[in-house]
PDB file of all heavy atoms in Angstrom:
ATOM      1  N   LYS Y  19     -27.702  -0.583   8.149  1.00 95.00           N
ATOM      2  CA  LYS Y  19     -27.802  -2.005   8.461  1.00 95.00           C
ATOM      3  C   LYS Y  19     -27.730  -2.228   9.964  1.00 95.00           C
ATOM      4  O   LYS Y  19     -27.713  -3.354  10.430  1.00 95.00           O
ATOM      5  CB  LYS Y  19     -26.668  -2.763   7.772  1.00 95.00           C
ATOM      6  CG  LYS Y  19     -26.711  -2.684   6.254  1.00 95.00           C
ATOM      7  CD  LYS Y  19     -26.640  -4.059   5.624  1.00 95.00           C
ATOM      8  CE  LYS Y  19     -26.737  -4.004   4.133  1.00 95.00           C
ATOM      9  NZ  LYS Y  19     -25.439  -3.736   3.521  1.00 95.00           N
ATOM     10  N   ASP Y  32     -20.724   7.461  12.499  1.00 96.00           N
ATOM     11  CA  ASP Y  32     -20.031   7.194  11.234  1.00 96.00           C
ATOM     12  C   ASP Y  32     -20.935   6.351  10.325  1.00 96.00           C
ATOM     13  O   ASP Y  32     -21.516   5.365  10.774  1.00 96.00           O
ATOM     14  CB  ASP Y  32     -18.733   6.438  11.541  1.00 96.00           C
ATOM     15  CG  ASP Y  32     -17.842   6.311  10.321  1.00 96.00           C
ATOM     16  OD1 ASP Y  32     -18.114   5.454   9.460  1.00 96.00           O
ATOM     17  OD2 ASP Y  32     -16.879   7.089  10.241  1.00 96.00           O
ATOM     18  N   ASN Y  40     -23.234   0.176   3.326  1.00 93.00           N
ATOM     19  CA  ASN Y  40     -22.367  -0.301   2.262  1.00 93.00           C
ATOM     20  C   ASN Y  40     -21.705   0.913   1.584  1.00 93.00           C
ATOM     21  O   ASN Y  40     -22.380   1.892   1.287  1.00 93.00           O
ATOM     22  CB  ASN Y  40     -23.269  -1.061   1.285  1.00 93.00           C
ATOM     23  CG  ASN Y  40     -22.539  -1.577   0.093  1.00 93.00           C
ATOM     24  OD1 ASN Y  40     -21.633  -0.949  -0.440  1.00 93.00           O
ATOM     25  ND2 ASN Y  40     -22.942  -2.746  -0.329  1.00 93.00           N
ATOM     26  N   SER Y  41     -20.396   0.823   1.314  1.00 93.00           N
ATOM     27  CA  SER Y  41     -19.711   2.009   0.785  1.00 93.00           C
ATOM     28  C   SER Y  41     -20.287   2.473  -0.554  1.00 93.00           C
ATOM     29  O   SER Y  41     -20.284   3.666  -0.838  1.00 93.00           O
ATOM     30  CB  SER Y  41     -18.206   1.774   0.687  1.00 93.00           C
ATOM     31  OG  SER Y  41     -17.945   0.558   0.033  1.00 93.00           O
ATOM     32  N   ASP Y  46     -25.167   7.008  -3.065  1.00 97.00           N
ATOM     33  CA  ASP Y  46     -26.608   7.310  -3.051  1.00 97.00           C
ATOM     34  C   ASP Y  46     -26.930   8.393  -2.035  1.00 97.00           C
ATOM     35  O   ASP Y  46     -27.758   9.267  -2.280  1.00 97.00           O
ATOM     36  CB  ASP Y  46     -27.405   6.045  -2.722  1.00 97.00           C
ATOM     37  CG  ASP Y  46     -27.343   5.037  -3.847  1.00 97.00           C
ATOM     38  OD1 ASP Y  46     -27.847   5.355  -4.937  1.00 97.00           O
ATOM     39  OD2 ASP Y  46     -26.773   3.952  -3.648  1.00 97.00           O
ATOM     40  N   ASP Y  50     -28.682  11.785  -2.849  1.00 98.00           N
ATOM     41  CA  ASP Y  50     -29.930  12.130  -2.158  1.00 98.00           C
ATOM     42  C   ASP Y  50     -29.809  13.485  -1.452  1.00 98.00           C
ATOM     43  O   ASP Y  50     -30.743  14.289  -1.472  1.00 98.00           O
ATOM     44  CB  ASP Y  50     -30.288  11.057  -1.112  1.00 98.00           C
ATOM     45  CG  ASP Y  50     -30.720   9.732  -1.749  1.00 98.00           C
ATOM     46  OD1 ASP Y  50     -31.014   9.714  -2.953  1.00 98.00           O
ATOM     47  OD2 ASP Y  50     -30.742   8.711  -1.022  1.00 98.00           O
ATOM     48  N   GLU Y  52     -27.873  15.917  -2.315  1.00 97.00           N
ATOM     49  CA  GLU Y  52     -27.905  16.945  -3.369  1.00 97.00           C
ATOM     50  C   GLU Y  52     -29.342  17.264  -3.757  1.00 97.00           C
ATOM     51  O   GLU Y  52     -29.712  18.438  -3.895  1.00 97.00           O
ATOM     52  CB  GLU Y  52     -27.136  16.459  -4.608  1.00 97.00           C
ATOM     53  CG  GLU Y  52     -25.635  16.426  -4.403  1.00 97.00           C
ATOM     54  CD  GLU Y  52     -24.854  16.134  -5.696  1.00 97.00           C
ATOM     55  OE1 GLU Y  52     -25.400  15.451  -6.585  1.00 97.00           O
ATOM     56  OE2 GLU Y  52     -23.723  16.582  -5.787  1.00 97.00           O
ATOM     57  N   ILE Y  59     -22.624  18.725  -4.449  1.00 97.00           N
ATOM     58  CA  ILE Y  59     -21.479  18.335  -3.628  1.00 97.00           C
ATOM     59  C   ILE Y  59     -20.314  17.984  -4.543  1.00 97.00           C
ATOM     60  O   ILE Y  59     -20.360  16.992  -5.263  1.00 97.00           O
ATOM     61  CB  ILE Y  59     -21.848  17.162  -2.687  1.00 97.00           C
ATOM     62  CG1 ILE Y  59     -22.958  17.636  -1.734  1.00 97.00           C
ATOM     63  CG2 ILE Y  59     -20.632  16.685  -1.906  1.00 97.00           C
ATOM     64  CD1 ILE Y  59     -23.561  16.548  -0.897  1.00 97.00           C
ATOM     65  N   GLU Y  65     -15.290  13.732  -0.393  1.00 96.00           N
ATOM     66  CA  GLU Y  65     -14.325  12.819   0.223  1.00 96.00           C
ATOM     67  C   GLU Y  65     -14.362  12.856   1.741  1.00 96.00           C
ATOM     68  O   GLU Y  65     -13.935  11.916   2.388  1.00 96.00           O
ATOM     69  CB  GLU Y  65     -12.906  13.035  -0.332  1.00 96.00           C
ATOM     70  CG  GLU Y  65     -12.221  14.297   0.093  1.00 96.00           C
ATOM     71  CD  GLU Y  65     -10.767  14.327  -0.409  1.00 96.00           C
ATOM     72  OE1 GLU Y  65     -10.507  13.876  -1.532  1.00 96.00           O
ATOM     73  OE2 GLU Y  65      -9.902  14.804   0.333  1.00 96.00           O
TER      74      GLU Y  65
ATOM     75  N   GLU B  15     -29.130  -3.668  -3.721  1.00 96.00           N
ATOM     76  CA  GLU B  15     -28.761  -2.500  -2.907  1.00 96.00           C
ATOM     77  C   GLU B  15     -28.527  -1.227  -3.718  1.00 96.00           C
ATOM     78  O   GLU B  15     -28.700  -0.132  -3.203  1.00 96.00           O
ATOM     79  CB  GLU B  15     -27.466  -2.793  -2.126  1.00 96.00           C
ATOM     80  CG  GLU B  15     -27.654  -3.709  -0.933  1.00 96.00           C
ATOM     81  CD  GLU B  15     -26.341  -3.963  -0.197  1.00 96.00           C
ATOM     82  OE1 GLU B  15     -25.255  -3.791  -0.789  1.00 96.00           O
ATOM     83  OE2 GLU B  15     -26.398  -4.319   0.973  1.00 96.00           O
ATOM     84  N   ARG B  20     -28.755   4.938 -11.848  1.00 97.00           N
ATOM     85  CA  ARG B  20     -29.298   6.179 -11.286  1.00 97.00           C
ATOM     86  C   ARG B  20     -28.523   7.393 -11.814  1.00 97.00           C
ATOM     87  O   ARG B  20     -27.299   7.365 -11.936  1.00 97.00           O
ATOM     88  CB  ARG B  20     -29.142   6.087  -9.763  1.00 97.00           C
ATOM     89  CG  ARG B  20     -29.556   7.327  -9.061  1.00 97.00           C
ATOM     90  CD  ARG B  20     -29.384   7.207  -7.578  1.00 97.00           C
ATOM     91  NE  ARG B  20     -29.898   8.445  -7.006  1.00 97.00           N
ATOM     92  CZ  ARG B  20     -29.944   8.723  -5.740  1.00 97.00           C
ATOM     93  NH1 ARG B  20     -29.507   7.844  -4.873  1.00 97.00           N
ATOM     94  NH2 ARG B  20     -30.424   9.861  -5.318  1.00 97.00           N
ATOM     95  N   LYS B  26     -20.096  10.129 -10.161  1.00 97.00           N
ATOM     96  CA  LYS B  26     -19.500  10.392  -8.846  1.00 97.00           C
ATOM     97  C   LYS B  26     -18.365   9.418  -8.536  1.00 97.00           C
ATOM     98  O   LYS B  26     -17.553   9.650  -7.652  1.00 97.00           O
ATOM     99  CB  LYS B  26     -20.558  10.241  -7.732  1.00 97.00           C
ATOM    100  CG  LYS B  26     -21.598  11.339  -7.719  1.00 97.00           C
ATOM    101  CD  LYS B  26     -21.137  12.508  -6.876  1.00 97.00           C
ATOM    102  CE  LYS B  26     -22.258  13.525  -6.708  1.00 97.00           C
ATOM    103  NZ  LYS B  26     -21.765  14.914  -6.858  1.00 97.00           N
ATOM    104  N   GLU B  54     -12.000  -0.150  -4.382  1.00 98.00           N
ATOM    105  CA  GLU B  54     -12.174  -0.441  -2.960  1.00 98.00           C
ATOM    106  C   GLU B  54     -10.963  -1.171  -2.383  1.00 98.00           C
ATOM    107  O   GLU B  54     -10.493  -0.848  -1.301  1.00 98.00           O
ATOM    108  CB  GLU B  54     -13.427  -1.294  -2.747  1.00 98.00           C
ATOM    109  CG  GLU B  54     -14.713  -0.518  -2.762  1.00 98.00           C
ATOM    110  CD  GLU B  54     -14.980   0.175  -1.436  1.00 98.00           C
ATOM    111  OE1 GLU B  54     -15.237  -0.520  -0.443  1.00 98.00           O
ATOM    112  OE2 GLU B  54     -14.899   1.418  -1.409  1.00 98.00           O
ATOM    113  N   ARG B  67      -9.525   8.279   6.732  1.00 90.00           N
ATOM    114  CA  ARG B  67     -10.722   7.855   6.014  1.00 90.00           C
ATOM    115  C   ARG B  67     -11.013   8.884   4.940  1.00 90.00           C
ATOM    116  O   ARG B  67     -10.988  10.078   5.204  1.00 90.00           O
ATOM    117  CB  ARG B  67     -11.916   7.805   6.973  1.00 90.00           C
ATOM    118  CG  ARG B  67     -11.779   6.826   8.116  1.00 90.00           C
ATOM    119  CD  ARG B  67     -12.318   5.454   7.771  1.00 90.00           C
ATOM    120  NE  ARG B  67     -13.652   5.493   7.163  1.00 90.00           N
ATOM    121  CZ  ARG B  67     -14.766   5.760   7.850  1.00 90.00           C
ATOM    122  NH1 ARG B  67     -14.739   6.022   9.137  1.00 90.00           N
ATOM    123  NH2 ARG B  67     -15.928   5.750   7.246  1.00 90.00           N
ATOM    124  N   PHE B  69     -13.602   9.392   1.213  1.00 96.00           N
ATOM    125  CA  PHE B  69     -14.506   8.778   0.252  1.00 96.00           C
ATOM    126  C   PHE B  69     -14.327   9.515  -1.069  1.00 96.00           C
ATOM    127  O   PHE B  69     -14.997  10.504  -1.335  1.00 96.00           O
ATOM    128  CB  PHE B  69     -15.956   8.846   0.739  1.00 96.00           C
ATOM    129  CG  PHE B  69     -16.894   8.141  -0.202  1.00 96.00           C
ATOM    130  CD1 PHE B  69     -16.748   6.790  -0.450  1.00 96.00           C
ATOM    131  CD2 PHE B  69     -17.893   8.830  -0.868  1.00 96.00           C
ATOM    132  CE1 PHE B  69     -17.578   6.132  -1.341  1.00 96.00           C
ATOM    133  CE2 PHE B  69     -18.735   8.185  -1.762  1.00 96.00           C
ATOM    134  CZ  PHE B  69     -18.570   6.831  -1.991  1.00 96.00           C
ATOM    135  N   ASN B  70     -13.351   9.041  -1.838  1.00 95.00           N
ATOM    136  CA  ASN B  70     -13.090   9.709  -3.115  1.00 95.00           C
ATOM    137  C   ASN B  70     -12.756   8.690  -4.202  1.00 95.00           C
ATOM    138  O   ASN B  70     -11.664   8.679  -4.748  1.00 95.00           O
ATOM    139  CB  ASN B  70     -11.956  10.731  -2.966  1.00 95.00           C
ATOM    140  CG  ASN B  70     -10.727  10.111  -2.360  1.00 95.00           C
ATOM    141  OD1 ASN B  70     -10.732   8.939  -1.988  1.00 95.00           O
ATOM    142  ND2 ASN B  70      -9.670  10.877  -2.274  1.00 95.00           N
ATOM    143  N   LEU B  72     -13.368   8.535  -7.216  1.00 96.00           N
ATOM    144  CA  LEU B  72     -12.934   9.090  -8.501  1.00 96.00           C
ATOM    145  C   LEU B  72     -11.420   9.199  -8.608  1.00 96.00           C
ATOM    146  O   LEU B  72     -10.852   9.094  -9.688  1.00 96.00           O
ATOM    147  CB  LEU B  72     -13.520  10.500  -8.655  1.00 96.00           C
ATOM    148  CG  LEU B  72     -14.712  10.710  -9.556  1.00 96.00           C
ATOM    149  CD1 LEU B  72     -15.065  12.188  -9.554  1.00 96.00           C
ATOM    150  CD2 LEU B  72     -14.421  10.258 -10.970  1.00 96.00           C
ATOM    151  N   HIS B 146     -19.553  -9.475   1.753  1.00 95.00           N
ATOM    152  CA  HIS B 146     -20.717  -8.868   1.112  1.00 95.00           C
ATOM    153  C   HIS B 146     -21.701  -9.979   0.792  1.00 95.00           C
ATOM    154  O   HIS B 146     -21.368 -10.929   0.086  1.00 95.00           O
ATOM    155  CB  HIS B 146     -20.303  -8.125  -0.165  1.00 95.00           C
ATOM    156  CG  HIS B 146     -21.395  -7.270  -0.738  1.00 95.00           C
ATOM    157  ND1 HIS B 146     -21.773  -7.326  -2.061  1.00 95.00           N
ATOM    158  CD2 HIS B 146     -22.195  -6.331  -0.177  1.00 95.00           C
ATOM    159  CE1 HIS B 146     -22.758  -6.450  -2.273  1.00 95.00           C
ATOM    160  NE2 HIS B 146     -23.027  -5.836  -1.157  1.00 95.00           N
TER     161      HIS B 146
END
Side-chain angles (χ1 to χ4, degrees):
Chain Y
K19 297 232 178 84
D32 189 282
N40 178 323
S41 50
D46 291 296
D50 290 345
E52 288 188 331
I59 298 171
E65 71 174 38
Chain B
E15 285 180 339
R20 176 180 183 179
K26 289 272 188 223
E54 280 280 292
R67 298 270 312 287
F69 184 61
N70 53 356
L72 257 181
H146 191 230

